[in-house]
Amino acid sequence: EAGVTQSPTHLIKTRGQQVTLRCSPISGHTSVYWYQQALGLGLQFLLWYDEGEERNRGNFPPRFSGRQFPNYSSELNVNALELEDSALYLCASSSYRGGDYGYTFGSGTRLTVV
Amino acid sequence: KNQVEQSPQSLIILEGKNCTLQCNYTVSPFSNLRWYKQDTGRGPVSLTIMTFSENTKSNGRYTATLDADTKQSSLHITASQLSDSASYICVVSQKTGANNLFFGTGTRLTVIP
């Protein structure tokens, strides 16, 4: 069974640019979660998508947005990049709303904003 | 306030030695607790998951314990190996609602030869 796949693995962007990160969940999983992990810090919840809809979002500005496609893959978009957006962005998928089933994480996308 | 606190923040041990990592939580109502291992720059990988009724669960050299009364969990690593060097994250699920995961900030373990 293929795991959660994220692309690209690494990315360097300039301040003010826009970026799109992609995530493909495990087959059969309908929920996709996005987390930000700044260097040396814990995971911060960004967004949760389930069945194509945004179900919840964390305490991040509106320039962080995303969507989920009919095949349950997801994109995370970040506009007007700032230096502090540099982080590891992790995607996780689950087959159940609410965390009673296992969350499986992807390997992440390392975003560096210069 | 629902929180997960881990200690120590970082730990250095000699290869072959044992160690114990701690996780205290105030998440309520409690659903389950997971320990994840995260190698640098990689996504977290699940080690164990424990529900309210489970006290101990092992996964190879990793043994997790849970005391639901005191809301404490520990992860014990025996006969450490260099490959155990990673961050270990405690994640607690809340019983109600969705996307109800609460993450600890992790313990950074370094195993040296």
Side-chain angles (χ1 to χ4, degrees), chain A residues 33 35 37 40-43 45 47-48 56 88 90 97-108 110, chain B residues 31-32 34 36 38 40-46 49 89 93-101 103-105:
Chain A
Y33 305 80
Y35 293 88
Q37 187 177 34
L41 299 181
L43 279 79
F45 166 65
L47 290 159
W48 170 41
N56 199 5
L88 180 68
L90 290 165
R97 300 182 195 179
D100 282 350
Y101 289 7
Y103 282 61
T104 302
F105 285 88
S107 296
R110 170 68 65 185
Chain B
S31 177
N32 57 63
R34 298 181 176 92
Y36 283 90
Q38 185 179 22
T40 301
R42 307 288 292 178
V45 175
S46 179
I49 176 171
I89 303 171
S93 291
Q94 195 177 36
K95 204 171 184 66
T96 60
N99 189 41
N100 51 359
L101 296 185
F103 287 82
T105 53

Side-chain angles (χ1 to χ4, degrees), chain B residues 38-57:
Chain B
Q38 185 179 22
D39 293 315
T40 301
R42 307 288 292 178
V45 175
S46 179
L47 293 175
T48 64
I49 176 171
M50 302 180 72
T51 59
F52 186 87
S53 59
E54 296 175 302
N55 300 118
T56 304
K57 183 167 284 189

Side-chain angles (χ1 to χ4, degrees), chain A residues 5-50:
Chain A
T5 56
Q6 292 187 243
S7 63
T9 55
H10 296 84
L11 203 52
I12 300 176
K13 288 286 190 178
T14 304
R15 190 170 55 183
Q17 285 187 310
Q18 178 266 345
V19 68
T20 298
L21 311 181
R22 295 178 174 81
C23 172
S24 293
I26 288 175
S27 178
H29 285 189
T30 61
S31 281
V32 171
Y33 305 80
W34 287 95
Y35 293 88
Q36 182 196 65
Q37 187 177 34
L39 191 63
L41 299 181
L43 279 79
Q44 301 294 320
F45 166 65
L46 270 165
L47 290 159
W48 170 41
Y49 292 96
D50 182 68

Side-chain angles (χ1 to χ4, degrees), chain B residues 3-74:
Chain B
Q3 286 185 315
V4 177
E5 295 183 351
Q6 292 187 242
S7 62
Q9 278 191 322
S10 61
L11 185 62
I12 300 174
I13 62 172
L14 290 173
E15 185 180 10
K17 297 296 186 182
N18 304 333
C19 67
T20 300
L21 315 180
Q22 299 290 342
C23 174
N24 297 334
Y25 62 93
T26 58
V27 177
S28 181
F30 174 84
S31 177
N32 57 63
L33 184 148
R34 298 181 176 92
W35 283 94
Y36 283 90
K37 177 186 178 186
Q38 185 179 22
D39 293 315
T40 301
R42 307 288 292 178
V45 175
S46 179
L47 293 175
T48 64
I49 176 171
M50 302 180 72
T51 59
F52 186 87
S53 59
E54 296 175 302
N55 300 118
T56 304
K57 183 167 284 189
S58 292
N59 178 1
R61 296 180 295 102
Y62 300 101
T63 299
T65 65
L66 175 65
D67 185 333
D69 291 331
T70 62
K71 298 187 177 181
Q72 295 179 328
S73 175
S74 65

